[in-house]
Short mmCIF file of all heavy atoms in Angstrom, two decimals:
data_model
loop_
_atom_site.label_atom_id
_atom_site.label_comp_id
_atom_site.label_asym_id
_atom_site.label_seq_id
_atom_site.Cartn_x
_atom_site.Cartn_y
_atom_site.Cartn_z
N ALA T 60 26.38 -12.32 18.12
CA ALA T 60 25.12 -12.90 17.64
C ALA T 60 24.47 -11.99 16.60
O ALA T 60 23.91 -12.47 15.61
CB ALA T 60 24.17 -13.14 18.81
N LEU T 61 24.54 -10.68 16.81
CA LEU T 61 23.97 -9.74 15.84
C LEU T 61 24.73 -9.84 14.53
O LEU T 61 24.14 -9.93 13.46
CB LEU T 61 24.03 -8.32 16.38
CG LEU T 61 23.60 -7.22 15.42
CD1 LEU T 61 22.14 -7.37 15.05
CD2 LEU T 61 23.86 -5.86 16.02
N LYS T 62 26.04 -9.82 14.60
CA LYS T 62 26.84 -9.91 13.38
C LYS T 62 26.64 -11.25 12.68
O LYS T 62 26.56 -11.32 11.46
CB LYS T 62 28.32 -9.69 13.71
CG LYS T 62 28.61 -8.26 14.11
CD LYS T 62 30.05 -8.08 14.46
CE LYS T 62 30.29 -6.64 14.87
NZ LYS T 62 31.64 -6.42 15.36
N ARG T 63 26.54 -12.32 13.45
CA ARG T 63 26.34 -13.64 12.87
C ARG T 63 24.98 -13.71 12.18
O ARG T 63 24.85 -14.20 11.07
CB ARG T 63 26.46 -14.73 13.94
CG ARG T 63 26.35 -16.13 13.39
CD ARG T 63 26.65 -17.22 14.42
NE ARG T 63 25.96 -17.04 15.68
CZ ARG T 63 26.55 -16.74 16.84
NH1 ARG T 63 27.85 -16.55 16.89
NH2 ARG T 63 25.86 -16.62 17.93
N ALA T 64 23.94 -13.20 12.83
CA ALA T 64 22.60 -13.25 12.24
C ALA T 64 22.49 -12.34 11.03
O ALA T 64 21.83 -12.68 10.05
CB ALA T 64 21.56 -12.87 13.28
N GLY T 65 23.16 -11.19 11.08
CA GLY T 65 23.12 -10.26 9.95
C GLY T 65 24.07 -10.65 8.85
O GLY T 65 23.96 -10.18 7.72
N MET T 66 25.02 -11.52 9.16
CA MET T 66 26.03 -12.01 8.24
C MET T 66 26.66 -10.85 7.48
O MET T 66 26.90 -9.79 8.02
CB MET T 66 25.45 -13.08 7.33
CG MET T 66 24.99 -14.31 8.12
SD MET T 66 24.05 -15.51 7.18
CE MET T 66 25.12 -15.91 5.83
N ASP T 67 26.93 -11.05 6.20
CA ASP T 67 27.56 -10.00 5.42
C ASP T 67 26.56 -8.95 4.95
O ASP T 67 26.91 -8.01 4.26
CB ASP T 67 28.31 -10.60 4.23
CG ASP T 67 27.42 -11.45 3.34
OD1 ASP T 67 26.33 -11.83 3.78
OD2 ASP T 67 27.85 -11.76 2.21
N TYR T 68 25.30 -9.09 5.34
CA TYR T 68 24.28 -8.12 4.97
C TYR T 68 24.34 -6.87 5.84
O TYR T 68 23.73 -5.86 5.50
CB TYR T 68 22.88 -8.74 5.06
CG TYR T 68 22.68 -9.83 4.06
CD1 TYR T 68 22.99 -11.16 4.36
CD2 TYR T 68 22.18 -9.54 2.80
CE1 TYR T 68 22.81 -12.15 3.44
CE2 TYR T 68 22.01 -10.54 1.86
CZ TYR T 68 22.33 -11.85 2.18
OH TYR T 68 22.15 -12.83 1.26
N LEU T 69 25.04 -6.93 6.95
CA LEU T 69 25.08 -5.80 7.87
C LEU T 69 25.58 -4.53 7.17
O LEU T 69 25.04 -3.45 7.36
CB LEU T 69 25.96 -6.13 9.08
CG LEU T 69 25.91 -5.16 10.24
CD1 LEU T 69 24.49 -4.99 10.76
CD2 LEU T 69 26.82 -5.63 11.36
N ALA T 70 26.59 -4.67 6.31
CA ALA T 70 27.13 -3.51 5.61
C ALA T 70 26.15 -2.95 4.59
O ALA T 70 26.20 -1.78 4.24
CB ALA T 70 28.45 -3.87 4.92
N MET T 71 25.23 -3.79 4.09
CA MET T 71 24.24 -3.36 3.10
C MET T 71 23.01 -2.73 3.74
O MET T 71 22.24 -2.05 3.07
CB MET T 71 23.76 -4.56 2.27
CG MET T 71 24.80 -5.19 1.39
SD MET T 71 24.22 -6.75 0.66
CE MET T 71 22.63 -6.31 -0.01
N ALA T 72 22.82 -2.99 5.01
CA ALA T 72 21.61 -2.53 5.68
C ALA T 72 21.63 -1.02 5.87
O ALA T 72 22.67 -0.44 6.16
CB ALA T 72 21.46 -3.21 7.04
N GLY T 73 20.50 -0.40 5.71
CA GLY T 73 20.37 1.03 5.96
C GLY T 73 20.07 1.24 7.43
O GLY T 73 18.97 1.64 7.79
N LEU T 74 21.04 0.94 8.27
CA LEU T 74 20.85 0.96 9.72
C LEU T 74 21.09 2.35 10.29
O LEU T 74 22.12 2.97 10.04
CB LEU T 74 21.81 -0.03 10.39
CG LEU T 74 21.89 0.01 11.92
CD1 LEU T 74 20.54 -0.32 12.54
CD2 LEU T 74 22.97 -0.95 12.40
N VAL T 75 20.10 2.82 11.07
CA VAL T 75 20.25 4.05 11.83
C VAL T 75 19.83 3.75 13.25
O VAL T 75 18.75 3.21 13.49
CB VAL T 75 19.39 5.20 11.26
CG1 VAL T 75 19.52 6.45 12.12
CG2 VAL T 75 19.77 5.50 9.81
N ARG T 76 20.70 4.09 14.21
CA ARG T 76 20.36 3.93 15.63
C ARG T 76 19.99 5.26 16.21
O ARG T 76 20.72 6.23 16.08
CB ARG T 76 21.53 3.32 16.40
CG ARG T 76 21.70 1.84 16.06
CD ARG T 76 22.58 1.15 17.06
NE ARG T 76 22.00 1.24 18.38
CZ ARG T 76 22.65 0.91 19.49
NH1 ARG T 76 23.89 0.49 19.43
NH2 ARG T 76 22.07 1.01 20.66
N HIS T 77 18.84 5.29 16.86
CA HIS T 77 18.38 6.48 17.58
C HIS T 77 18.59 6.21 19.06
O HIS T 77 18.21 5.15 19.55
CB HIS T 77 16.89 6.73 17.28
CG HIS T 77 16.61 6.84 15.81
ND1 HIS T 77 16.64 8.03 15.15
CD2 HIS T 77 16.31 5.89 14.89
CE1 HIS T 77 16.36 7.82 13.86
NE2 HIS T 77 16.16 6.54 13.69
N VAL T 78 19.19 7.12 19.75
CA VAL T 78 19.55 6.93 21.15
C VAL T 78 18.33 6.58 22.01
O VAL T 78 18.40 5.74 22.89
CB VAL T 78 20.29 8.17 21.70
CG1 VAL T 78 20.53 8.05 23.18
CG2 VAL T 78 21.59 8.37 20.96
N ASP T 79 17.20 7.24 21.71
CA ASP T 79 15.99 7.00 22.51
C ASP T 79 14.75 7.37 21.70
O ASP T 79 14.86 7.80 20.54
CB ASP T 79 16.04 7.77 23.83
CG ASP T 79 16.25 9.26 23.66
OD1 ASP T 79 15.94 9.81 22.56
OD2 ASP T 79 16.72 9.90 24.61
N TRP T 80 13.59 7.21 22.33
CA TRP T 80 12.32 7.47 21.66
C TRP T 80 12.22 8.93 21.21
O TRP T 80 11.78 9.20 20.09
CB TRP T 80 11.16 7.08 22.56
CG TRP T 80 9.82 7.47 22.01
CD1 TRP T 80 8.99 8.45 22.46
CD2 TRP T 80 9.18 6.89 20.87
NE1 TRP T 80 7.87 8.51 21.67
CE2 TRP T 80 7.96 7.57 20.68
CE3 TRP T 80 9.51 5.87 19.98
CZ2 TRP T 80 7.06 7.26 19.66
CZ3 TRP T 80 8.62 5.56 18.95
CH2 TRP T 80 7.42 6.25 18.80
N SER T 81 12.61 9.86 22.05
CA SER T 81 12.46 11.27 21.68
C SER T 81 13.33 11.64 20.49
O SER T 81 12.90 12.43 19.64
CB SER T 81 12.71 12.19 22.87
OG SER T 81 14.02 12.03 23.35
N SER T 82 14.52 11.09 20.38
CA SER T 82 15.36 11.39 19.21
C SER T 82 14.77 10.77 17.94
O SER T 82 14.82 11.37 16.87
CB SER T 82 16.81 10.96 19.42
OG SER T 82 16.92 9.57 19.54
N PHE T 83 14.19 9.58 18.08
CA PHE T 83 13.51 8.96 16.93
C PHE T 83 12.33 9.82 16.49
O PHE T 83 12.15 10.07 15.30
CB PHE T 83 13.02 7.55 17.29
CG PHE T 83 12.12 6.95 16.25
CD1 PHE T 83 12.64 6.41 15.09
CD2 PHE T 83 10.74 6.93 16.43
CE1 PHE T 83 11.81 5.87 14.11
CE2 PHE T 83 9.90 6.38 15.48
CZ PHE T 83 10.44 5.86 14.31
N GLU T 84 11.53 10.29 17.44
CA GLU T 84 10.36 11.11 17.11
C GLU T 84 10.77 12.42 16.46
O GLU T 84 10.10 12.90 15.54
CB GLU T 84 9.51 11.37 18.35
CG GLU T 84 8.55 10.23 18.65
CD GLU T 84 7.48 10.09 17.59
OE1 GLU T 84 7.75 9.42 16.57
OE2 GLU T 84 6.38 10.63 17.76
N ALA T 85 11.86 13.02 16.91
CA ALA T 85 12.36 14.26 16.28
C ALA T 85 12.76 13.98 14.83
O ALA T 85 12.44 14.76 13.92
CB ALA T 85 13.53 14.82 17.07
N TRP T 86 13.47 12.88 14.61
CA TRP T 86 13.86 12.48 13.25
C TRP T 86 12.64 12.23 12.39
O TRP T 86 12.56 12.70 11.25
CB TRP T 86 14.75 11.22 13.33
CG TRP T 86 14.96 10.57 12.00
CD1 TRP T 86 15.91 10.89 11.08
CD2 TRP T 86 14.21 9.48 11.46
NE1 TRP T 86 15.78 10.07 9.98
CE2 TRP T 86 14.74 9.21 10.20
CE3 TRP T 86 13.13 8.73 11.92
CZ2 TRP T 86 14.24 8.20 9.38
CZ3 TRP T 86 12.62 7.73 11.11
CH2 TRP T 86 13.18 7.47 9.86
N ARG T 87 11.67 11.51 12.93
CA ARG T 87 10.46 11.16 12.17
C ARG T 87 9.67 12.42 11.81
O ARG T 87 9.19 12.54 10.67
CB ARG T 87 9.59 10.20 12.98
CG ARG T 87 8.39 9.67 12.21
CD ARG T 87 7.67 8.62 13.00
NE ARG T 87 6.87 9.13 14.09
CZ ARG T 87 5.60 9.54 13.97
NH1 ARG T 87 4.99 9.49 12.81
NH2 ARG T 87 4.95 9.98 15.02
N ALA T 88 9.55 13.36 12.72
CA ALA T 88 8.84 14.61 12.44
C ALA T 88 9.55 15.40 11.33
O ALA T 88 8.90 15.94 10.43
CB ALA T 88 8.73 15.45 13.70
N GLU T 89 10.87 15.43 11.41
CA GLU T 89 11.64 16.14 10.39
C GLU T 89 11.45 15.52 9.01
O GLU T 89 11.30 16.22 8.01
CB GLU T 89 13.12 16.12 10.77
CG GLU T 89 14.03 16.75 9.75
CD GLU T 89 15.50 16.54 10.10
OE1 GLU T 89 15.84 16.59 11.29
OE2 GLU T 89 16.29 16.34 9.16
N LYS T 90 11.42 14.21 8.96
CA LYS T 90 11.29 13.48 7.68
C LYS T 90 9.85 13.31 7.24
O LYS T 90 9.59 12.88 6.12
CB LYS T 90 11.96 12.10 7.79
CG LYS T 90 13.43 12.14 8.11
CD LYS T 90 14.21 12.69 6.95
CE LYS T 90 15.71 12.59 7.24
NZ LYS T 90 16.51 13.15 6.19
N ARG T 91 8.91 13.58 8.15
CA ARG T 91 7.46 13.44 7.87
C ARG T 91 7.06 12.01 7.51
O ARG T 91 6.32 11.78 6.56
CB ARG T 91 7.03 14.40 6.78
CG ARG T 91 7.18 15.84 7.18
CD ARG T 91 6.67 16.74 6.13
NE ARG T 91 6.56 18.09 6.67
CZ ARG T 91 6.16 19.10 6.00
NH1 ARG T 91 5.82 18.97 4.74
NH2 ARG T 91 6.08 20.28 6.57
N HIS T 92 7.56 11.08 8.30
CA HIS T 92 7.20 9.67 8.10
C HIS T 92 5.95 9.34 8.91
O HIS T 92 5.82 9.76 10.06
CB HIS T 92 8.34 8.75 8.58
CG HIS T 92 9.52 8.72 7.68
ND1 HIS T 92 9.48 8.21 6.40
CD2 HIS T 92 10.79 9.14 7.87
CE1 HIS T 92 10.67 8.30 5.85
NE2 HIS T 92 11.49 8.87 6.72
N ARG T 93 5.07 8.57 8.31
CA ARG T 93 3.90 8.06 9.04
C ARG T 93 4.35 6.86 9.86
O ARG T 93 5.10 6.01 9.39
CB ARG T 93 2.82 7.66 8.03
CG ARG T 93 1.54 7.17 8.68
CD ARG T 93 0.44 6.96 7.66
NE ARG T 93 0.68 5.77 6.85
CZ ARG T 93 -0.26 5.12 6.18
NH1 ARG T 93 -1.51 5.57 6.19
NH2 ARG T 93 0.04 4.06 5.47
N LEU T 94 3.88 6.77 11.10
CA LEU T 94 4.27 5.68 12.00
C LEU T 94 3.17 4.63 12.04
O LEU T 94 2.05 4.91 12.46
CB LEU T 94 4.52 6.22 13.40
CG LEU T 94 5.10 5.23 14.41
CD1 LEU T 94 6.47 4.73 13.95
CD2 LEU T 94 5.20 5.88 15.78
N VAL T 95 3.51 3.42 11.60
CA VAL T 95 2.58 2.30 11.58
C VAL T 95 3.06 1.28 12.61
O VAL T 95 4.06 0.61 12.41
CB VAL T 95 2.51 1.65 10.17
CG1 VAL T 95 1.54 0.49 10.16
CG2 VAL T 95 2.14 2.69 9.12
N LEU T 96 2.34 1.20 13.72
CA LEU T 96 2.69 0.30 14.81
C LEU T 96 2.05 -1.06 14.60
O LEU T 96 0.84 -1.16 14.40
CB LEU T 96 2.22 0.90 16.14
CG LEU T 96 2.41 0.03 17.38
CD1 LEU T 96 3.89 -0.25 17.64
CD2 LEU T 96 1.76 0.71 18.58
N PHE T 97 2.85 -2.10 14.66
CA PHE T 97 2.33 -3.47 14.62
C PHE T 97 2.17 -3.95 16.04
O PHE T 97 3.13 -3.98 16.81
CB PHE T 97 3.27 -4.38 13.81
CG PHE T 97 3.10 -4.14 12.34
CD1 PHE T 97 3.73 -3.08 11.72
CD2 PHE T 97 2.27 -4.96 11.59
CE1 PHE T 97 3.54 -2.82 10.38
CE2 PHE T 97 2.07 -4.71 10.25
CZ PHE T 97 2.70 -3.64 9.64
N THR T 98 0.94 -4.32 16.40
CA THR T 98 0.62 -4.65 17.78
C THR T 98 -0.54 -5.63 17.84
O THR T 98 -1.42 -5.61 16.97
CB THR T 98 0.27 -3.36 18.58
OG1 THR T 98 -0.19 -3.72 19.87
CG2 THR T 98 -0.77 -2.51 17.88
N THR T 99 -0.54 -6.46 18.87
CA THR T 99 -1.67 -7.37 19.08
C THR T 99 -2.93 -6.59 19.45
O THR T 99 -4.02 -7.14 19.41
CB THR T 99 -1.36 -8.40 20.18
OG1 THR T 99 -1.00 -7.71 21.39
CG2 THR T 99 -0.22 -9.32 19.76
N ARG T 100 -2.78 -5.30 19.78
CA ARG T 100 -3.92 -4.43 20.07
C ARG T 100 -4.35 -3.63 18.84
O ARG T 100 -5.15 -2.70 18.94
CB ARG T 100 -3.57 -3.46 21.19
CG ARG T 100 -3.31 -4.15 22.51
CD ARG T 100 -2.77 -3.27 23.61
NE ARG T 100 -3.06 -1.85 23.53
CZ ARG T 100 -2.46 -0.93 24.27
NH1 ARG T 100 -1.53 -1.28 25.13
NH2 ARG T 100 -2.78 0.34 24.15
N GLY T 101 -3.82 -4.00 17.68
CA GLY T 101 -4.11 -3.26 16.45
C GLY T 101 -5.57 -3.26 16.09
O GLY T 101 -6.29 -4.22 16.33
N ALA T 102 -6.00 -2.15 15.49
CA ALA T 102 -7.40 -1.98 15.10
C ALA T 102 -7.68 -2.43 13.67
O ALA T 102 -8.81 -2.75 13.33
CB ALA T 102 -7.80 -0.51 15.26
N VAL T 103 -6.63 -2.46 12.84
CA VAL T 103 -6.81 -2.79 11.43
C VAL T 103 -5.98 -4.03 11.09
O VAL T 103 -4.77 -4.05 11.33
CB VAL T 103 -6.34 -1.60 10.54
CG1 VAL T 103 -6.52 -1.92 9.07
CG2 VAL T 103 -7.06 -0.33 10.92
N PRO T 104 -6.61 -5.06 10.51
CA PRO T 104 -5.83 -6.22 10.07
C PRO T 104 -4.85 -5.83 8.96
O PRO T 104 -5.17 -4.98 8.11
CB PRO T 104 -6.88 -7.19 9.55
CG PRO T 104 -8.18 -6.74 10.13
CD PRO T 104 -8.04 -5.24 10.31
N LEU T 105 -3.70 -6.44 8.95
CA LEU T 105 -2.65 -6.17 7.97
C LEU T 105 -3.20 -6.15 6.54
O LEU T 105 -2.88 -5.28 5.76
CB LEU T 105 -1.55 -7.23 8.10
CG LEU T 105 -0.47 -7.27 7.03
CD1 LEU T 105 0.42 -6.05 7.14
CD2 LEU T 105 0.33 -8.54 7.15
N TRP T 106 -4.06 -7.09 6.22
CA TRP T 106 -4.55 -7.25 4.84
C TRP T 106 -5.47 -6.10 4.44
O TRP T 106 -5.68 -5.88 3.26
CB TRP T 106 -5.28 -8.58 4.68
CG TRP T 106 -4.68 -9.67 5.50
CD1 TRP T 106 -5.29 -10.38 6.49
CD2 TRP T 106 -3.34 -10.17 5.44
NE1 TRP T 106 -4.42 -11.28 7.04
CE2 TRP T 106 -3.21 -11.18 6.42
CE3 TRP T 106 -2.22 -9.86 4.66
CZ2 TRP T 106 -2.03 -11.88 6.64
CZ3 TRP T 106 -1.05 -10.57 4.88
CH2 TRP T 106 -0.96 -11.56 5.85
#
Side-chain angles (χ1 to χ4, degrees):
L61 174 64
K62 291 178 181 174
R63 184 172 48 248
M66 297 171 56
D67 56 344
Y68 294 90
L69 190 57
M71 294 171 50
L74 171 62
V75 177
R76 287 195 60 191
H77 305 270
V78 173
D79 56 23
W80 173 251
S81 61
S82 65
F83 171 78
E84 276 294 84
W86 168 85
R87 186 174 75 87
E89 177 187 323
K90 300 291 185 182
R91 296 184 167 179
H92 286 294
R93 182 172 73 159
L94 187 62
V95 180
L96 175 62
F97 283 81
T98 173
T99 56
R100 295 172 25 193
V103 180
L105 171 70
W106 325 119

